[in-house]
């Protein structure tokens, strides 16, 4: 009896997936998560991008590429911050689920015919791609929820969420275009950080020696190799 009840709940939840639709690649949760990832990347390399010497070192002294990347990165950093601030301000004093529902309703209703749509399964607690037959119902349900609002409310909700959608889409495209260069800069920065940590560990081992500051021959050679890998320009700085 319990098994049949569970099967019934699962089947019912599956049939009602179209009641809570979202775009597969542009849903609200994914948007917020991606914006945070972009901002984290910007924070990680902000100081390095601001330092011409370090940026050139990461890009093999290609001044033209460094200049173009610096301009594009600054634009992305600024626009990402503005979008995150807009989302935070819009969510203030509101139910997060309501905000997410409004965004998904707007995007599914207006551009759901050109994007893959997923529906939320309350039994499985996950999203699943909708078949072409159910997509129409999903768009209709999303449209009905929007039309329950007054005309002014509907215009305000659609206006804000479509600006958010387009701003995020455009930012994401620009970020993907720069992602390879960002990974190079991050990788270069991380390599240097790892080297400095290894040097610190070597000095700590030497300071902990019972006979004062001392390294074994092998440790001394290892430390010399680490120091040789530090770019000369960093010694000057």
């Amino acid at each position: 009896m319990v098994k049949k009840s569970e099967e019934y709940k699962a089947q019912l939840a599956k049939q009602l997936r179209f009641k809570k639709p979202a775009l597969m690649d542009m849903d609200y949760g994914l948007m917020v998560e991606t914006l945070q990832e972009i901002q984290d990347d910007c924070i990680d390399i902000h100081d390095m991008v601001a330092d011409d010497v370090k940026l050139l070192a990461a890009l093999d002294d290609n001044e033209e590429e460094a200049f173009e990347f610096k301009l594009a990165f600054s634009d992305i950093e600024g626009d990402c911050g503005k979008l995150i601030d807009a989302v935070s301000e819009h969510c203030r004093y509101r139910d997060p689920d309501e905000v997410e529902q409004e965004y998904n309703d707007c995007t599914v209703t207006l551009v759901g015919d050109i994007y893959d749509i997923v529906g939320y399964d309350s039994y499985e607690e996950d999203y699943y791609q909708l078949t072409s037959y159910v997509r129409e119902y999903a768009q209709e349900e999303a449209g009905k929820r929007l039309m329950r609002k007054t005309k002014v409310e509907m215009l305000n909700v659609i206006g804000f969420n479509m600006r958010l959608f387009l701003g995020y889409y455009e930012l994401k495209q620009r970020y993907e275009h720069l992602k390879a260069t960002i990974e190079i800069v991050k990788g270069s920065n991380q390599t240097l950080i790892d080297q400095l940590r290894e040097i610190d560990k070597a000095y700590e081992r030497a300071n902990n020696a019972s006979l004062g500051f001392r390294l074994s021959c092998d440790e001394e050679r290892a430390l010399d190799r680490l120091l040789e890998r530090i770019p000369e320009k960093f010694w000057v700085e």
Side-chain angles (χ1 to χ4, degrees), residues 85-137:
D85 288 344
V87 172
S88 298
E89 183 64 28
H90 186 66
C91 291
R92 187 176 296 179
Y93 311 123
R94 298 191 63 198
D95 181 355
D97 290 338
E98 180 187 357
V99 173
E100 180 174 358
Q101 184 74 65
E102 283 183 351
Y103 173 88
N104 288 333
D105 283 346
C106 288
T107 54
V108 167
T109 301
L110 298 174
V111 295
D113 56 337
I114 57 176
Y115 283 87
D116 289 332
I117 299 179
V118 292
Y120 187 76
D121 189 312
S122 57
Y123 182 81
E124 298 289 346
E125 297 185 346
D126 200 359
Y127 282 96
Y128 292 86
Q129 187 167 358
L130 300 182
T131 63
S132 57
Y133 176 74
V134 181
R135 285 167 61 101
E136 294 181 12
Y137 288 103

Side-chain angles (χ1 to χ4, degrees), residues 171-187:
L171 177 72
K172 185 171 179 286
Q173 294 295 106
R174 286 156 52 201
Y175 172 75
E176 291 295 332
H177 180 71
L178 279 186
K179 194 170 183 179
T181 306
I182 288 174
E183 290 302 321
I184 291 173
V185 175
K186 284 178 64 180

Side-chain angles (χ1 to χ4, degrees), residues 44-202:
D44 285 345
I45 63 173
H46 174 86
D47 292 339
M48 190 172 185
V49 172
D51 190 313
D52 292 331
V53 175
K54 292 180 181 179
L55 182 60
L56 280 171
L59 299 177
D60 294 328
D61 293 324
N62 188 323
E63 293 185 2
E64 183 177 350
E65 184 178 355
F67 178 74
E68 292 176 356
F69 174 76
K70 194 169 186 176
L71 290 180
F73 175 83
S74 297
D75 287 341
I76 285 179
E77 186 177 30
D79 291 344
C80 182
K82 289 177 183 177
L83 275 178
I84 290 177
D85 288 344
V87 172
S88 298
E89 183 64 28
H90 186 66
C91 291
R92 187 176 296 179
Y93 311 123
R94 298 191 63 198
D95 181 355
D97 290 338
E98 180 187 357
V99 173
E100 180 174 358
Q101 184 74 65
E102 283 183 351
Y103 173 88
N104 288 333
D105 283 346
C106 288
T107 54
V108 167
T109 301
L110 298 174
V111 295
D113 56 337
I114 57 176
Y115 283 87
D116 289 332
I117 299 179
V118 292
Y120 187 76
D121 189 312
S122 57
Y123 182 81
E124 298 289 346
E125 297 185 346
D126 200 359
Y127 282 96
Y128 292 86
Q129 187 167 358
L130 300 182
T131 63
S132 57
Y133 176 74
V134 181
R135 285 167 61 101
E136 294 181 12
Y137 288 103
Q139 287 184 275
E140 286 178 11
E141 287 295 318
K144 287 177 183 178
R145 281 190 290 273
L146 284 177
M147 288 187 287
R148 292 190 190 115
K149 302 178 182 295
T150 67
K151 291 180 180 179
V152 173
E153 289 173 339
M154 190 164 59
L155 287 174
N156 288 337
V157 168
I158 292 174
F160 174 81
N161 283 291
M162 290 315 295
R163 286 195 299 273
L164 186 60
F165 172 84
L166 293 172
Y168 167 66
Y169 177 81
E170 194 262 346
L171 177 72
K172 185 171 179 286
Q173 294 295 106
R174 286 156 52 201
Y175 172 75
E176 291 295 332
H177 180 71
L178 279 186
K179 194 170 183 179
T181 306
I182 288 174
E183 290 302 321
I184 291 173
V185 175
K186 284 178 64 180
S188 173
N189 197 26
Q190 188 60 49
T191 299
L192 179 61
I193 291 173
D194 290 341
Q195 289 176 7
L196 293 176
R197 285 175 179 166
E198 287 298 318
I199 292 172
D200 285 340
K201 288 179 182 177

Side-chain angles (χ1 to χ4, degrees), residues 2 26 44 134 182 213 235:
V2 175
M26 300 288 284
D44 285 345
V134 181
I182 288 174
F213 189 87
W235 292 107

